[in-house]
Amino acid sequence: MNRRQLLRACGTVAVLGAAGCNAPGREATRRVGRRDTGGPRNWPMFLHGRTNRRCFPTDHDVLERSAIDWSYGTDDAIWSSPVLADGTLYVGSYDGHLYAISLETGDARWRYRTGDRIDGSPAVADGTVYVGSHDRNVYALDAETGEERWIFGTKGIVRSSPTVGDGTVFIGSHCRTEECSVFYDVRWPERGYVHAIDADTGVPEWRYETGDGVLSTPAVRDGTVYVGSSDDTLYAFDAASGKPRWTYETGGSIMSSPVVADGRVHVGNVAGEVHAIDAQTGDGLWTFDANRGFDSAIDLSVVVTGSPAVCDGTVYVGAMVPDETVYGKLYAISASDGTGKWSTSPFAQAIGSSPVVVNGVLYFGAHTFGPTQDVSPGVFAVDEDGTERWSYTVDGAEHRGFGSSPAVVDGTLYIGSTDGHVHAFDLE
């Protein structure tokens, strides 16, 4: 297996795991409503907020195990990550719909059909939900009714998730990598774009062309937009004008979304590295290389496509490790100097899911690239020292697992699945 085949597998796993026979609807209801647990009450964007950090202390006990509390089925695989705002869960599906699901009743409030599959996550701000689609458009819909407010054409596949701040929607577009090309008989151009769109009107404010597709989701902090590109570069833009403030070459394609914490930007790449960059100057501070000390039997590097979580001086990130068998691995890295603290594996065949840290526990999903009886994909809870607390696993021969990233609100973890469902796990 070469790198192109490996990355193609990353894209085709969703097709192999599609659940087209599932009728949309709620299943396995045991509890509805909301609880006051001290954690986040909303999760309005992919990776929670504009900086993508995902570190939440609470004063509540953590379960030694968990199970699905309820599920809602769509007509195809879900790789989109759910967001939650004002009692409603929003998630995209490979069936081309954006779903709005009531947390109080478990019923769909509405669903809106785009022209193609939805890979990225929606974002909710000021009564509007924004989402991109493979049909090359960004949509703005009324969050309460699903009524269309505007459509913005990007002329390229949109896998990036929108980040909304100060009246502007920031999002990337274009994708010509193997995991996009596998779906279409089209030769995509060698470029990508970062878009800034007026959140109210859909009118473009600025656009910047990069050297390849932008799958990464922007992070926004203090008037600066940070985003990665498949041209190996992390960009920092002035949020108002779109002028580059600095660029940083990582040496590998960036599908990971940057995380801003403690004056630093953290991002992974497909060369198996995690970089920490000074948020103001763009100077590199440290690089963690997951390939160091790893001798692959098939001469391929570790691949980091998920986004790091930064919490209490530690950077956590998942990866895909190619060896005689491909497996997912979780790394803990010192935020101060980039040295490895610990790593643990295996978790299915890849951790494309981006972890969240709540009350000292990491939650994330893991998936496979095709039917297999060798590993069990699932949802995992791991303590900050690398000890597994609990797992919910599924049959790898029937189920490709969880490539979606979890959202944790009011003591419940929500995550999308390649079986076409969004699942709710009771954590308390």
Side-chain angles (χ1 to χ4, degrees), residues 32-324:
V32 295
R34 296 166 61 87
R35 295 171 296 170
D36 184 5
T37 65
R41 298 303 307 273
N42 288 297
W43 194 283
M45 303 179 200
F46 177 57
L47 307 182
H48 182 262
R50 288 184 286 178
T51 64
N52 300 339
R53 183 168 184 168
R54 306 181 320 288
C55 176
F56 304 99
T58 75
D59 56 1
H60 293 264
D61 293 334
V62 179
L63 291 181
E64 294 302 319
R65 63 184 300 276
S66 189
I68 292 177
D69 190 44
W70 59 261
S71 299
Y72 185 94
T74 73
D75 286 330
D76 212 328
I78 297 178
W79 289 82
S80 170
S81 301
V83 302
L84 298 94
D86 301 323
T88 301
L89 180 149
Y90 303 89
V91 69
S93 170
Y94 263 39
D95 67 14
H97 288 92
L98 178 69
Y99 290 82
I101 304 164
S102 169
L103 297 182
E104 195 66 36
T105 67
D107 297 324
R109 289 180 166 166
W110 52 261
R111 66 176 186 168
Y112 178 92
R113 182 170 183 80
T114 70
D116 207 333
R117 59 181 58 84
I118 297 175
D119 225 337
S121 301
V124 183
D126 299 324
T128 302
V129 57
Y130 306 90
V131 70
S133 170
H134 275 232
D135 70 3
R136 312 181 197 185
N137 294 315
V138 178
Y139 295 83
L141 311 173
D142 185 283
E144 186 68 25
T145 66
E147 180 180 358
E148 184 182 297
R149 291 186 168 172
W150 51 257
I151 301 175
F152 176 82
T154 70
K155 299 182 180 180
I157 291 173
V158 182
R159 290 188 67 196
S160 173
S161 301
T163 301
V164 186
D166 298 325
T168 301
V169 179
F170 302 98
I171 194 168
S173 73
H174 287 59
C175 174
R176 68 180 186 89
T177 52
E178 293 291 344
E179 62 270 26
C180 290
S181 299
V182 70
F183 297 117
Y184 309 100
D185 187 20
V186 177
R187 184 174 180 84
W188 301 106
E190 294 185 22
R191 63 176 180 270
Y193 293 96
V194 182
H195 305 269
I197 310 163
D198 185 280
D200 290 330
T201 66
V203 174
E205 296 180 354
W206 54 262
R207 184 182 75 168
Y208 187 90
E209 182 176 331
T210 69
D212 209 333
V214 180
L215 287 68
S216 175
T217 295
V220 183
R221 180 68 181 268
D222 297 332
T224 302
V225 179
Y226 306 92
V227 67
S229 170
S230 295
D231 67 5
D232 303 356
T233 305
L234 180 70
Y235 293 85
F237 301 101
D238 181 274
S241 67
K243 294 181 179 179
R245 290 184 167 169
W246 51 258
T247 59
Y248 176 87
E249 300 291 331
T250 70
S253 178
I254 300 174
M255 301 180 190
S256 171
S257 299
V259 177
V260 184
D262 304 318
R264 301 178 178 188
V265 186
H266 308 80
V267 71
N269 66 16
V270 301
E273 298 170 336
V274 177
H275 296 260
I277 304 104
D278 187 286
Q280 291 293 324
T281 66
D283 294 332
L285 301 175
W286 54 256
T287 299
F288 172 83
D289 186 356
N291 300 289
R292 196 170 297 147
F294 168 63
D295 185 17
S296 172
I298 56 176
D299 195 29
L300 290 174
S301 67
V302 176
V303 176
V304 176
T305 58
S307 303
V310 182
C311 195
D312 297 331
T314 303
V315 180
Y316 303 97
V317 70
M320 173 183 64
V321 179
D323 210 339
E324 292 180 347

Side-chain angles (χ1 to χ4, degrees), residues 403-423:
S404 171
S405 298
V408 178
V409 172
D410 288 340
T412 301
L413 181 150
Y414 303 90
I415 191 168
S417 169
T418 60
D419 72 354
H421 291 74
V422 58
H423 297 291

